[in-house]
C-alpha cells in the first residue's frame, strides 16, 4: 500500500529565506506527483505536477524535483514571502486516472 | 466561474440526518472523486467514478454512498450522519485523455455533525 510522508510537519522561516519541503513515498511505481497549496479552511491549488519520466518542474519561485527510484520529491521555494504561508501537500498517483494518495502536509509560516 | 463547484459550502446537521453534498464541473472531465480531510490526517479517498456507469469505493467508503447523475455531476450522501463524519469534503476531477492527468479540486464543503 502506497504511503506518502511529508517532513517537516511545520516550518517557520523569516522572509527572504530559501527553503525545501520534503516528500517521500514507499512505492516507486508512480504515474505522477502533484504538489498543492492549501490556505486555512480553503480548497487545494495545484502548484506543480511532475510526470514519472521527469526529474523536475519549475513555476516562478517554485521548483519541484522527483527521484522516483529513491521515492523522494522536494519542493524548493526561493526568496520566501509572507504570502507563501500555507499548508503544502504532496500527492502521488499510481496509475493514470486513479486517485491521489496524499501526505499530511507541511504547514509553512513566513514572517516579515 | 469556477470549473469545479460544490454545494453547500458549509452545513451543520444533527446525528442521524441524511445529507447530500453535490459537485458539478464544467471541465468536461470523465473522472470524478470525493475526498475528506481531517486535521492531522490529510486527504483520504471516499469514492471515485470513471464515468457515469462506473462507481468505485475508496479507502473510507463506509457510511457514504454516491451517485453519478451525469458526466458533470457527482453527489455524495451520508445516509445517517454521525459526529465522526465532521470534516472538510472535497470533490475533484481529472481527464484520462490528458497526458498529465492532473486533478482539479473544488473549494470544499465544511460539514459539522452535532
Amino acid at each position: 500500500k502506497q504511503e506518502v510522508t511529508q517532513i517537516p510537519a511545520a516550518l517557520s522561516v523569516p522572509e527572504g529565506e530559501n527553503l525545501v519541503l520534503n516528500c517521500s513515498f514507499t512505492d516507486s511505481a508512480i504515474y505522477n506527483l502533484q504538489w498543492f497549496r492549501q490556505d486555512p479552511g480553503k480548497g487545494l491549488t495545484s502548484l506543480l505536477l511532475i510526470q514519472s519520466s521527469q526529474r523536475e518542474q519549475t513555476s516562478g519561485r517554485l521548483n519541484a524535483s522527483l527521484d522516483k527510484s529513491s521515492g523522494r520529491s522536494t519542493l524548493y521555494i526561493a526568496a520566501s514571502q509572507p504570502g507563501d504561508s500555507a499548508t503544502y501537500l504532496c500527492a502521488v498517483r499510481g496509475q493514470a486516472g486513479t486517485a491521489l494518495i496524499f501526505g499530511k502536509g507541511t504547514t509553512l509560516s513566513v514572517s516579515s | 466561474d469556477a470549473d469545479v463547484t460544490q454545494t453547500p459550502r458549509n452545513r451543520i446537521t444533527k446525528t442521524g440526518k441524511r445529507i447530500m453534498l453535490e459537485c458539478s464541473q464544467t471541465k468536461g472531465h470523465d473522472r470524478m472523486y470525493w475526498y475528506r480531510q481531517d486535521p492531522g490526517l490529510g486527504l483520504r479517498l471516499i469514492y471515485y467514478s470513471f464515468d457515469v456507469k462506473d462507481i468505485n469505493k475508496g479507502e473510507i467508503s463506509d457510511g457514504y454512498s454516491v451517485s453519478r447523475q451525469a458526466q458533470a455531476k457527482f453527489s455524495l450522501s451520508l445516509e445517517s450522519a454521525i459526529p465522526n463524519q465532521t470534516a472538510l469534503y472535497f470533490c475533484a476531477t481529472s481527464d484520462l485523455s490528458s497526458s498529465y492527468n492532473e486533478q482539479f479540486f473544488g473549494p470544499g464543503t465544511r460539514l459539522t455533525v452535532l
Side-chain angles (χ1 to χ4, degrees):
Chain A
K1 177 185 174 185
Q2 179 73 271
E3 293 183 1
V4 180
T5 302
Q6 291 187 246
I7 295 173
L11 180 64
S12 293
V13 300
E15 182 177 7
E17 198 162 292
N18 301 325
L19 58 100
V20 174
L21 307 181
N22 296 293
C23 172
S24 62
F25 45 96
T26 55
D27 186 349
S28 62
I30 64 169
Y31 182 77
N32 59 29
L33 182 147
Q34 263 183 280
W35 281 94
F36 294 88
R37 169 186 172 138
Q38 184 178 27
D39 293 290
K42 303 295 185 181
L44 278 68
T45 301
S46 181
L47 298 173
L48 290 164
L49 182 148
I50 309 177
Q51 298 285 64
S52 62
S53 58
Q54 297 175 321
R55 297 285 292 182
E56 64 178 338
Q57 282 284 345
T58 298
S59 176
R61 294 182 294 109
L62 306 179
N63 176 276
S65 69
L66 174 64
D67 184 344
K68 200 173 69 164
S69 62
S70 67
R72 295 181 185 275
S73 176
T74 62
L75 179 66
Y76 175 82
I77 302 177
S80 59
Q81 303 170 358
D84 294 331
S85 298
T87 296
Y88 291 81
L89 297 165
C90 167
V92 300
R93 180 179 291 104
Q95 300 176 30
T98 59
L100 291 166
I101 306 297
F102 281 85
K104 296 180 181 180
T106 295
T107 298
L108 173 65
S109 176
V110 182
S111 57
S112 57
Chain B
D1 289 338
D3 296 320
V4 184
T5 58
Q6 293 184 233
T7 56
R9 295 293 312 280
N10 289 282
R11 182 72 184 267
I12 299 174
T13 190
K14 295 181 178 180
T15 297
K17 294 291 187 181
R18 185 177 188 275
I19 294 295
M20 179 181 288
L21 309 182
E22 299 185 335
C23 176
S24 295
Q25 52 115 348
T26 58
K27 301 183 78 66
H29 289 173
D30 50 351
R31 306 202 162 193
M32 299 186 75
Y33 312 81
W34 276 105
Y35 296 88
R36 69 176 274 177
Q37 185 178 35
D38 299 275
L41 293 180
L43 277 80
R44 293 178 292 167
L45 181 67
I46 306 172
Y47 269 96
Y48 59 104
S49 170
F50 286 171
D51 63 39
V52 174
K53 297 180 181 179
D54 184 277
I55 303 289
N56 303 280
K57 292 183 177 180
E59 179 187 354
I60 53 165
S61 59
D62 287 349
Y64 301 94
S65 63
V66 292
S67 173
R68 186 83 183 264
Q69 302 94 322
Q71 187 189 38
K73 296 184 181 295
F74 193 35
S75 300
L76 176 71
S77 293
L78 287 68
E79 298 302 326
S80 180
I82 56 177
N84 77 359
Q85 292 177 313
T86 293
L88 190 54
Y89 290 83
F90 289 104
C91 174
T93 72
S94 69
D95 179 9
L96 183 61
S97 65
S98 163
S99 58
Y100 287 99
N101 204 229
E102 185 175 359
Q103 281 198 13
F104 296 88
F105 283 76
T109 294
R110 183 170 296 281
L111 176 66
T112 302
V113 184
L114 301 176

Coordinates of all heavy atoms in Angstrom, one line a residue, chain B residues 12-88:
Chain B
I12 N -24.3 22.4 8.8 CA -24.4 21.9 10.1 C -25.6 21.0 10.2 O -26.7 21.5 9.9 CB -24.4 23.0 11.2 CG1 -23.1 23.9 11.1 CG2 -24.5 22.5 12.6 CD1 -23.2 25.1 11.9
T13 N -25.5 19.8 10.7 CA -26.6 18.9 10.8 C -26.5 18.1 12.1 O -25.6 18.2 12.8 CB -26.6 18.0 9.6 OG1 -27.9 17.3 9.6 CG2 -25.5 17.0 9.6
K14 N -27.6 17.3 12.3 CA -27.6 16.6 13.6 C -27.4 15.1 13.3 O -27.7 14.6 12.1 CB -29.0 16.8 14.2 CG -29.2 18.2 14.7 CD -30.5 18.3 15.4 CE -30.7 19.7 15.9 NZ -32.0 19.9 16.6
T15 N -27.0 14.4 14.3 CA -26.8 12.9 14.2 C -28.0 12.2 13.7 O -29.1 12.6 14.1 CB -26.4 12.4 15.5 OG1 -25.1 12.9 15.9 CG2 -26.2 10.9 15.5
G16 N -27.9 11.3 12.7 CA -29.0 10.6 12.2 C -29.6 11.2 10.9 O -30.4 10.5 10.2
K17 N -29.3 12.4 10.6 CA -29.9 13.0 9.4 C -29.2 12.6 8.2 O -28.1 12.2 8.2 CB -29.8 14.6 9.5 CG -30.6 15.2 10.7 CD -32.1 15.1 10.4 CE -32.9 15.8 11.4 NZ -34.3 15.7 11.2
R18 N -30.0 12.6 7.1 CA -29.4 12.3 5.7 C -29.0 13.6 5.1 O -29.7 14.6 5.1 CB -30.5 11.6 4.9 CG -29.9 11.1 3.5 CD -31.0 10.4 2.7 NE -30.4 9.8 1.5 CZ -30.3 10.5 0.3 NH1 -30.6 11.7 0.2 NH2 -29.7 9.8 -0.7
I19 N -27.8 13.5 4.6 CA -27.2 14.7 4.0 C -26.6 14.4 2.6 O -26.1 13.3 2.4 CB -26.0 15.2 4.8 CG1 -26.5 15.7 6.2 CG2 -25.2 16.3 4.2 CD1 -27.3 16.9 6.1
M20 N -26.8 15.3 1.7 CA -26.3 15.2 0.3 C -25.4 16.3 0.0 O -25.8 17.5 0.2 CB -27.3 15.0 -0.7 CG -26.8 14.9 -2.2 SD -28.0 14.8 -3.4 CE -28.6 13.1 -3.1
L21 N -24.2 16.0 -0.4 CA -23.2 17.0 -0.9 C -23.1 16.9 -2.4 O -23.0 15.8 -2.9 CB -21.8 16.9 -0.3 CG -21.8 16.7 1.2 CD1 -20.3 16.6 1.7 CD2 -22.5 17.9 1.9
E22 N -23.2 18.0 -3.1 CA -23.2 18.0 -4.6 C -21.9 18.6 -5.2 O -21.4 19.5 -4.6 CB -24.4 18.7 -5.1 CG -25.7 18.0 -4.6 CD -27.0 18.6 -5.2 OE1 -26.9 19.8 -5.6 OE2 -28.0 17.9 -5.3
C23 N -21.5 18.0 -6.3 CA -20.4 18.5 -7.0 C -20.7 18.6 -8.5 O -21.3 17.7 -9.1 CB -19.2 17.6 -6.8 SG -17.7 18.0 -7.8
S24 N -20.4 19.7 -9.1 CA -20.6 19.9 -10.5 C -19.3 20.4 -11.2 O -18.6 21.2 -10.6 CB -21.7 20.9 -10.8 OG -23.0 20.5 -10.4
Q25 N -19.1 20.0 -12.4 CA -17.9 20.5 -13.1 C -18.2 20.9 -14.6 O -19.1 20.3 -15.2 CB -16.8 19.4 -13.1 CG -17.2 18.0 -13.5 CD -16.5 17.6 -14.8 OE1 -15.9 18.3 -15.5 NE2 -16.7 16.3 -15.1
T26 N -17.5 21.9 -15.0 CA -17.7 22.4 -16.4 C -16.4 22.1 -17.2 O -16.2 22.6 -18.3 CB -18.0 23.9 -16.4 OG1 -16.9 24.6 -15.8 CG2 -19.3 24.2 -15.7
K27 N -15.5 21.2 -16.7 CA -14.3 21.0 -17.4 C -14.4 19.9 -18.4 O -13.5 19.6 -19.2 CB -13.2 20.6 -16.4 CG -12.9 21.7 -15.3 CD -11.8 21.3 -14.4 CE -10.5 21.5 -15.0 NZ -10.2 22.9 -15.3
G28 N -15.5 19.1 -18.4 CA -15.7 18.1 -19.4 C -14.9 16.8 -19.1 O -14.7 16.0 -19.9
H29 N -14.5 16.7 -17.8 CA -13.6 15.6 -17.4 C -14.5 14.3 -17.2 O -15.7 14.4 -16.7 CB -12.9 15.9 -16.1 CG -11.8 16.9 -16.4 ND1 -11.0 17.4 -15.3 CD2 -11.3 17.4 -17.5 CE1 -10.1 18.2 -15.8 NE2 -10.2 18.3 -17.1
D30 N -13.9 13.2 -17.4 CA -14.7 11.9 -17.2 C -14.6 11.4 -15.8 O -15.5 10.7 -15.3 CB -14.2 10.9 -18.2 CG -12.7 10.7 -18.3 OD1 -12.0 11.5 -17.6 OD2 -12.2 9.7 -18.9
R31 N -13.5 11.7 -15.1 CA -13.3 11.1 -13.8 C -13.6 12.1 -12.7 O -13.1 13.3 -12.8 CB -11.9 10.6 -13.7 CG -11.6 9.7 -14.9 CD -10.5 8.7 -14.7 NE -10.6 7.7 -15.7 CZ -10.0 6.6 -15.7 NH1 -9.1 6.3 -14.8 NH2 -10.1 5.7 -16.7
M32 N -14.3 11.6 -11.7 CA -14.6 12.5 -10.5 C -14.3 11.7 -9.2 O -14.4 10.5 -9.2 CB -16.1 12.9 -10.6 CG -16.3 13.8 -11.8 SD -18.0 14.5 -11.9 CE -17.8 15.8 -10.7
Y33 N -14.0 12.4 -8.2 CA -13.6 11.8 -6.9 C -14.2 12.6 -5.8 O -14.4 13.8 -5.8 CB -12.0 11.9 -6.8 CG -11.3 11.5 -8.0 CD1 -11.1 12.3 -9.1 CD2 -10.7 10.2 -8.1 CE1 -10.4 11.9 -10.2 CE2 -10.0 9.8 -9.2 CZ -9.8 10.7 -10.2 OH -9.1 10.3 -11.4
W34 N -14.4 11.9 -4.6 CA -14.7 12.5 -3.4 C -13.7 12.2 -2.3 O -13.3 11.0 -2.2 CB -16.1 12.1 -2.9 CG -17.2 12.9 -3.4 CD1 -18.1 12.4 -4.4 CD2 -17.6 14.2 -3.1 NE1 -19.0 13.4 -4.6 CE2 -18.8 14.5 -3.8 CE3 -17.2 15.1 -2.2 CZ2 -19.4 15.7 -3.7 CZ3 -17.8 16.3 -2.0 CH2 -18.9 16.6 -2.8
Y35 N -13.1 13.2 -1.7 CA -12.1 13.0 -0.6 C -12.7 13.7 0.7 O -13.5 14.6 0.6 CB -10.8 13.7 -0.9 CG -10.1 13.2 -2.1 CD1 -10.3 13.7 -3.4 CD2 -9.0 12.3 -1.9 CE1 -9.6 13.2 -4.5 CE2 -8.3 11.8 -3.0 CZ -8.6 12.3 -4.3 OH -7.8 11.8 -5.3
R36 N -12.2 13.3 1.8 CA -12.4 14.0 3.1 C -11.1 14.3 3.7 O -10.1 13.6 3.6 CB -13.4 13.3 4.0 CG -12.8 12.0 4.7 CD -13.7 11.5 5.7 NE -13.6 12.1 7.0 CZ -14.3 11.8 8.1 NH1 -15.3 10.9 8.0 NH2 -14.1 12.3 9.3
Q37 N -11.1 15.5 4.4 CA -9.9 15.9 5.0 C -10.2 16.1 6.5 O -11.1 16.9 6.9 CB -9.4 17.2 4.4 CG -8.0 17.7 5.0 CD -7.5 19.0 4.3 OE1 -8.3 19.8 3.9 NE2 -6.2 19.0 4.2
D38 N -9.4 15.5 7.3 CA -9.5 15.7 8.8 C -8.1 16.2 9.3 O -7.1 15.9 8.7 CB -9.7 14.3 9.4 CG -11.0 13.7 9.0 OD1 -12.0 14.0 9.6 OD2 -11.0 12.9 8.1
P39 N -8.2 17.1 10.3 CA -6.9 17.7 10.8 C -5.9 16.6 11.2 O -6.3 15.6 11.9 CB -7.4 18.4 12.1 CG -8.8 18.7 11.8 CD -9.4 17.6 11.0
G40 N -4.7 16.7 10.7 CA -3.7 15.8 11.0 C -3.7 14.5 10.2 O -2.8 13.7 10.4
L41 N -4.7 14.3 9.4 CA -4.8 13.0 8.7 C -4.7 13.2 7.2 O -4.7 12.2 6.4 CB -6.1 12.3 9.0 CG -6.3 11.8 10.4 CD1 -7.7 11.2 10.6 CD2 -5.2 10.8 10.8
G42 N -4.6 14.4 6.7 CA -4.5 14.6 5.2 C -5.8 14.3 4.5 O -6.9 14.1 5.2
L43 N -5.8 14.1 3.2 CA -7.0 13.8 2.5 C -7.1 12.3 2.2 O -6.1 11.7 1.9 CB -7.0 14.5 1.1 CG -7.4 16.0 1.1 CD1 -6.3 16.9 1.6 CD2 -7.9 16.4 -0.3
R44 N -8.3 11.8 2.4 CA -8.5 10.4 2.1 C -9.6 10.2 1.1 O -10.6 10.9 1.2 CB -8.8 9.6 3.4 CG -7.6 9.6 4.4 CD -7.9 8.9 5.7 NE -8.9 9.7 6.5 CZ -9.6 9.2 7.5 NH1 -9.4 8.0 7.9 NH2 -10.4 10.0 8.1
L45 N -9.5 9.2 0.3 CA -10.4 8.9 -0.8 C -11.7 8.2 -0.3 O -11.6 7.2 0.4 CB -9.8 8.1 -1.9 CG -10.6 7.8 -3.1 CD1 -11.0 9.1 -3.9 CD2 -9.9 6.8 -4.0
I46 N -12.9 8.7 -0.6 CA -14.1 8.1 -0.2 C -14.7 7.2 -1.4 O -14.9 6.0 -1.2 CB -15.2 9.1 0.2 CG1 -14.6 10.1 1.3 CG2 -16.4 8.5 0.7 CD1 -15.5 11.3 1.6
Y47 N -14.9 7.8 -2.5 CA -15.4 7.2 -3.7 C -14.8 7.9 -4.9 O -14.4 9.0 -4.9 CB -17.0 7.3 -3.8 CG -17.7 6.2 -3.1 CD1 -18.2 6.3 -1.8 CD2 -18.0 5.0 -3.8 CE1 -19.0 5.3 -1.2 CE2 -18.8 4.0 -3.2 CZ -19.2 4.2 -1.9 OH -20.0 3.1 -1.4
Y48 N -14.8 7.1 -6.0 CA -14.5 7.7 -7.3 C -15.3 7.1 -8.4 O -15.8 5.9 -8.3 CB -13.0 7.6 -7.6 CG -12.4 6.2 -7.6 CD1 -12.1 5.6 -8.8 CD2 -12.1 5.5 -6.4 CE1 -11.5 4.3 -8.9 CE2 -11.6 4.2 -6.5 CZ -11.3 3.7 -7.7 OH -10.7 2.4 -7.7
S49 N -15.3 7.8 -9.5 CA -16.1 7.4 -10.7 C -15.4 7.7 -11.9 O -14.9 8.8 -12.2 CB -17.5 8.2 -10.7 OG -18.2 7.9 -11.9
F50 N -15.2 6.7 -12.8 CA -14.5 6.8 -14.0 C -15.4 7.3 -15.2 O -15.0 7.8 -16.2 CB -13.7 5.6 -14.4 CG -12.5 5.3 -13.6 CD1 -11.8 4.1 -13.6 CD2 -12.1 6.3 -12.7 CE1 -10.7 3.9 -12.9 CE2 -11.0 6.1 -11.9 CZ -10.3 4.9 -12.0
D51 N -16.7 7.0 -15.0 CA -17.7 7.5 -15.9 C -19.1 7.3 -15.3 O -19.1 6.8 -14.2 CB -17.6 6.9 -17.4 CG -17.9 5.5 -17.4 OD1 -18.8 5.0 -16.7 OD2 -17.2 4.8 -18.2
V52 N -20.1 7.6 -16.0 CA -21.5 7.6 -15.4 C -21.8 6.2 -14.9 O -22.5 6.0 -13.9 CB -22.5 8.1 -16.4 CG1 -23.9 7.9 -15.8 CG2 -22.3 9.6 -16.7
K53 N -21.3 5.2 -15.5 CA -21.7 3.8 -15.2 C -20.7 3.1 -14.3 O -20.8 1.9 -14.0 CB -22.0 3.0 -16.4 CG -23.1 3.5 -17.3 CD -23.3 2.7 -18.5 CE -24.5 3.2 -19.4 NZ -24.7 2.4 -20.6
D54 N -19.7 3.8 -13.9 CA -18.6 3.2 -13.1 C -18.4 3.9 -11.8 O -18.0 5.1 -11.8 CB -17.3 3.3 -14.0 CG -16.2 2.6 -13.3 OD1 -15.5 3.2 -12.4 OD2 -15.9 1.4 -13.6
I55 N -18.7 3.2 -10.7 CA -18.5 3.8 -9.4 C -17.6 2.8 -8.6 O -17.8 1.6 -8.6 CB -19.9 3.9 -8.6 CG1 -20.9 4.8 -9.4 CG2 -19.7 4.4 -7.2 CD1 -20.5 6.2 -9.5
N56 N -16.7 3.4 -7.8 CA -15.7 2.5 -7.1 C -15.5 3.1 -5.7 O -15.5 4.3 -5.5 CB -14.4 2.5 -7.8 CG -14.5 2.1 -9.2 OD1 -14.5 0.9 -9.5 ND2 -14.5 3.0 -10.2
K57 N -15.4 2.2 -4.7 CA -15.1 2.5 -3.4 C -13.7 2.9 -3.2 O -12.8 2.4 -3.8 CB -15.5 1.4 -2.4 CG -16.9 1.0 -2.3 CD -17.2 -0.1 -1.3 CE -18.7 -0.4 -1.2 NZ -19.0 -1.4 -0.2
G58 N -13.5 3.9 -2.3 CA -12.2 4.3 -1.9 C -11.8 3.7 -0.6 O -12.3 2.7 -0.1
E59 N -10.8 4.4 0.0 CA -10.2 3.9 1.3 C -11.2 3.9 2.4 O -11.2 3.0 3.3 CB -9.0 4.8 1.6 CG -8.3 4.5 2.9 CD -7.3 5.5 3.3 OE1 -7.0 6.4 2.4 OE2 -6.7 5.4 4.4
I60 N -12.2 4.9 2.5 CA -13.0 5.1 3.6 C -14.5 5.2 3.2 O -15.1 6.2 3.5 CB -12.6 6.3 4.5 CG1 -12.4 7.5 3.6 CG2 -11.3 6.0 5.2 CD1 -12.3 8.8 4.4
S61 N -15.1 4.3 2.5 CA -16.4 4.4 1.9 C -17.5 4.1 2.9 O -18.7 4.4 2.6 CB -16.5 3.5 0.7 OG -16.3 2.2 1.0
D62 N -17.2 3.4 4.0 CA -18.3 3.0 4.9 C -19.1 4.2 5.4 O -18.5 5.2 5.9 CB -17.7 2.2 6.1 CG -17.3 0.8 5.7 OD1 -17.6 0.4 4.6 OD2 -16.6 0.2 6.5
G63 N -20.4 4.2 5.4 CA -21.2 5.3 5.9 C -21.6 6.3 4.8 O -22.3 7.2 5.1
Y64 N -21.0 6.1 3.6 CA -21.2 7.0 2.5 C -21.8 6.3 1.3 O -21.6 5.1 1.1 CB -19.9 7.7 2.1 CG -19.2 8.5 3.1 CD1 -18.2 7.9 3.9 CD2 -19.5 9.8 3.3 CE1 -17.6 8.6 4.9 CE2 -18.9 10.5 4.3 CZ -17.9 9.9 5.1 OH -17.3 10.7 6.0
S65 N -22.5 7.0 0.4 CA -22.9 6.5 -0.9 C -22.7 7.6 -1.9 O -22.7 8.8 -1.5 CB -24.3 5.9 -0.9 OG -25.2 7.0 -0.6
V66 N -22.7 7.3 -3.2 CA -22.5 8.3 -4.2 C -23.5 8.0 -5.4 O -24.0 6.9 -5.5 CB -21.1 8.4 -4.7 CG1 -20.1 8.9 -3.7 CG2 -20.6 7.0 -5.3
S67 N -23.7 9.1 -6.2 CA -24.5 9.0 -7.4 C -23.8 9.8 -8.5 O -23.5 11.0 -8.2 CB -25.9 9.4 -7.1 OG -26.6 9.5 -8.3
R68 N -23.6 9.2 -9.6 CA -23.1 10.0 -10.8 C -24.3 10.2 -11.7 O -24.6 9.4 -12.6 CB -22.0 9.2 -11.5 CG -21.3 10.0 -12.6 CD -20.2 10.9 -12.0 NE -19.5 11.7 -13.1 CZ -18.4 11.3 -13.7 NH1 -17.8 10.2 -13.4 NH2 -17.9 12.1 -14.6
Q69 N -24.9 11.3 -11.6 CA -26.2 11.6 -12.3 C -25.9 11.9 -13.7 O -26.8 11.7 -14.6 CB -26.9 12.8 -11.6 CG -27.3 12.6 -10.2 CD -26.3 13.2 -9.2 OE1 -25.1 13.1 -9.5 NE2 -26.7 13.7 -8.1
A70 N -24.7 12.5 -14.0 CA -24.4 12.8 -15.4 C -22.8 13.0 -15.4 O -22.2 12.9 -14.3 CB -25.0 14.2 -15.8
Q71 N -22.2 13.1 -16.5 CA -20.8 13.3 -16.6 C -20.3 14.4 -15.7 O -19.3 14.4 -15.1 CB -20.3 13.4 -18.0 CG -18.7 13.4 -18.0 CD -18.2 13.8 -19.4 OE1 -18.7 14.7 -20.0 NE2 -17.1 13.1 -19.8
A72 N -21.2 15.5 -15.6 CA -20.8 16.7 -14.9 C -21.1 16.7 -13.4 O -20.8 17.7 -12.7 CB -21.3 17.9 -15.6
K73 N -21.9 15.7 -13.0 CA -22.4 15.8 -11.6 C -22.1 14.5 -10.8 O -22.4 13.4 -11.3 CB -23.9 16.1 -11.6 CG -24.3 17.4 -12.2 CD -25.8 17.6 -12.1 CE -26.2 19.0 -12.8 NZ -25.6 20.1 -12.0
F74 N -21.6 14.7 -9.6 CA -21.2 13.6 -8.7 C -21.6 14.0 -7.3 O -21.1 14.9 -6.7 CB -19.7 13.3 -8.9 CG -19.2 12.1 -8.3 CD1 -20.0 10.9 -8.3 CD2 -18.0 12.0 -7.7 CE1 -19.5 9.7 -7.8 CE2 -17.5 10.8 -7.2 CZ -18.2 9.6 -7.2
S75 N -22.6 13.2 -6.7 CA -23.1 13.6 -5.4 C -22.6 12.6 -4.4 O -22.6 11.4 -4.6 CB -24.6 13.6 -5.4 OG -25.1 14.6 -6.3
L76 N -22.4 13.1 -3.2 CA -22.0 12.2 -2.0 C -23.1 12.3 -1.0 O -23.5 13.4 -0.6 CB -20.7 12.7 -1.4 CG -20.2 12.0 -0.2 CD1 -19.7 10.6 -0.5 CD2 -19.1 12.9 0.5
S77 N -23.6 11.2 -0.5 CA -24.6 11.1 0.5 C -24.1 10.5 1.8 O -23.4 9.5 1.7 CB -25.8 10.4 0.0 OG -26.5 11.1 -1.1
L78 N -24.6 11.0 2.9 CA -24.4 10.4 4.2 C -25.8 10.0 4.6 O -26.7 10.8 4.9 CB -23.8 11.4 5.2 CG -22.4 11.8 5.1 CD1 -22.1 12.6 3.8 CD2 -21.9 12.6 6.3
E79 N -26.0 8.7 4.6 CA -27.4 8.2 4.9 C -27.9 8.5 6.3 O -29.0 8.8 6.5 CB -27.4 6.7 4.6 CG -27.1 6.3 3.2 CD -28.1 6.9 2.2 OE1 -29.3 7.1 2.5 OE2 -27.6 7.3 1.1
S80 N -27.0 8.4 7.2 CA -27.3 8.7 8.6 C -26.1 9.3 9.3 O -25.2 8.5 9.7 CB -27.8 7.4 9.4 OG -28.1 7.7 10.7
A81 N -26.0 10.6 9.3 CA -24.8 11.2 9.7 C -24.4 11.0 11.1 O -25.3 10.9 12.0 CB -24.9 12.7 9.4
I82 N -23.1 10.9 11.4 CA -22.6 10.7 12.7 C -21.5 11.7 13.0 O -20.9 12.2 12.0 CB -22.1 9.2 13.0 CG1 -21.0 8.9 12.0 CG2 -23.2 8.2 12.9 CD1 -20.4 7.5 12.2
P83 N -21.2 12.1 14.3 CA -20.3 13.1 14.6 C -18.9 12.9 14.0 O -18.2 13.9 13.6 CB -20.2 13.1 16.1 CG -21.6 12.7 16.5 CD -22.0 11.7 15.5
N84 N -18.4 11.7 13.9 CA -17.1 11.5 13.3 C -17.0 11.7 11.8 O -15.9 11.5 11.2 CB -16.4 10.2 13.8 CG -16.9 9.0 13.1 OD1 -17.8 9.0 12.2 ND2 -16.4 7.8 13.4
Q85 N -18.1 12.0 11.2 CA -18.1 12.4 9.8 C -18.0 13.9 9.6 O -18.0 14.4 8.5 CB -19.4 11.9 9.1 CG -19.4 10.4 8.9 CD -20.7 9.9 8.3 OE1 -21.8 10.3 8.7 NE2 -20.5 9.0 7.3
T86 N -17.8 14.6 10.7 CA -17.4 16.0 10.7 C -16.1 16.2 10.0 O -15.1 15.6 10.5 CB -17.4 16.6 12.1 OG1 -18.8 16.6 12.6 CG2 -16.9 18.0 12.1
A87 N -16.0 16.9 8.9 CA -14.8 17.0 8.2 C -15.0 18.0 7.1 O -16.1 18.6 6.8 CB -14.4 15.7 7.6
L88 N -13.9 18.3 6.3 CA -13.9 19.1 5.1 C -13.9 18.1 3.9 O -13.1 17.2 3.8 CB -12.7 20.0 5.1 CG -12.6 21.1 4.1 CD1 -13.8 22.0 4.1 CD2 -11.3 21.9 4.3

